[in-house]
Amino acid sequence: MTGHGGADPRLLPMIAAERRRTADLVDALTPAQLDTPSLCGAWTVREVVGHLVSPLVEKPWRLVPVLVGAGFRLHVANARLARRVARRPPAELAAALREHAGHRFRPPVVGWLGQLTDLQVHGQDIRHPLGLPADLDPERLRVSLDFLTGGRAVGFVDRRRVAGLRFEATDLGWSAGQGPVVRGTGAALLLALTGRRAALADLTGDGAATLGAR
């Protein structure tokens, strides 16, 4: 995969597949599961789904009042929008993911690589607290791990946290970086690289304690 921000069109089928996979997951969840706290800050599972759906169904001009109301703080506006969209019935959220699976939404700076990674990370934000298997596609997971360790994952990775460490996925034959080793499944590394402390218990290696202390 090449191109700044992930401009390679081969990413689009991967993104579409992740959206459809998320839709299937949403359809399978109970109301109690949807209201379970996710790994993503203060969001529930339902609100994480709202975040994934919002760029597909909200018109750009409708975002302006939300941004103004949030004092032009993008992360606050994003959270409010996610919660607003999350009020829709779960079946409607799943249907939107399927209907717009091929949507070419491309976030600024991180591009389609960021969108693919966002879908996979948030999928684990949902699955992990519910005790569901990671169920990640190895090829798509490798692409996102390369992105997260490639120095361009703005907003995803705190580069100071991961500096001077080597990451090795025990189930993918994948590695990146130099230094003390942080070892785990690809799914665990995906969560650890993006700051989810819940994954630390699933990591081994001389660098795991260093990562956990940062």
Side-chain angles (χ1 to χ4, degrees):
M1 301 295 171
T2 59
H4 182 67
D8 194 318
R10 288 175 293 176
L11 290 168
L12 291 173
M14 295 185 176
I15 291 168
E18 282 298 319
R19 287 179 180 144
R20 294 187 187 101
R21 192 171 74 94
T22 302
D24 291 342
L25 174 60
V26 173
D27 277 339
L29 297 179
T30 67
Q33 287 175 316
L34 286 163
D35 290 333
T36 298
S38 75
L39 294 186
C40 187
W43 285 357
T44 64
V45 165
R46 185 189 302 269
E47 288 163 347
V48 171
V49 178
H51 163 70
L52 296 176
V53 172
S54 61
L56 310 180
V57 299
E58 291 286 348
K59 302 296 183 184
W61 63 267
R62 295 184 64 185
L63 307 183
V64 176
V66 179
L67 189 58
V68 172
F72 293 95
R73 292 170 293 174
L74 187 58
H75 67 286
V76 174
N78 185 41
R80 289 181 180 177
L81 183 61
R83 292 188 175 102
R84 186 171 79 186
V85 174
R87 298 190 191 111
R88 302 183 182 200
E92 184 177 327
L93 296 173
L97 286 165
R98 290 194 184 92
E99 180 182 352
H100 302 288
H103 197 293
R104 296 173 67 90
F105 170 65
R106 188 177 174 195
V109 182
V110 295
W112 290 331
L113 279 170
Q115 177 65 176
L116 174 64
T117 302
D118 198 52
L119 285 157
Q120 293 188 91
V121 172
H122 285 315
Q124 299 313 299
D125 286 337
I126 294 170
R127 289 173 175 275
H128 194 282
L130 295 178
L132 299 175
D135 191 32
L136 286 161
D137 176 84
E139 181 183 4
R140 299 196 288 268
L141 179 54
R142 286 191 188 94
V143 171
S144 285
L145 290 174
D146 283 340
F147 168 65
L148 292 172
T149 55
R152 291 184 174 181
V154 178
F156 285 88
V157 177
D158 182 341
R159 295 175 68 176
R160 294 169 297 181
R161 285 187 66 250
V162 302
L165 296 173
R166 177 176 175 80
F167 295 89
E168 295 182 355
T170 55
D171 56 343
L172 295 177
W174 174 94
S175 63
Q178 299 294 327
V181 173
V182 179
R183 187 178 293 111
T185 64
L189 294 182
L190 184 78
L191 289 174
L193 285 164
T194 52
R196 274 64 171 175
R197 297 191 63 83
L200 294 175
D202 299 322
L203 304 176
T204 60
D206 296 339
T210 301
L211 180 66
R214 289 179 176 176

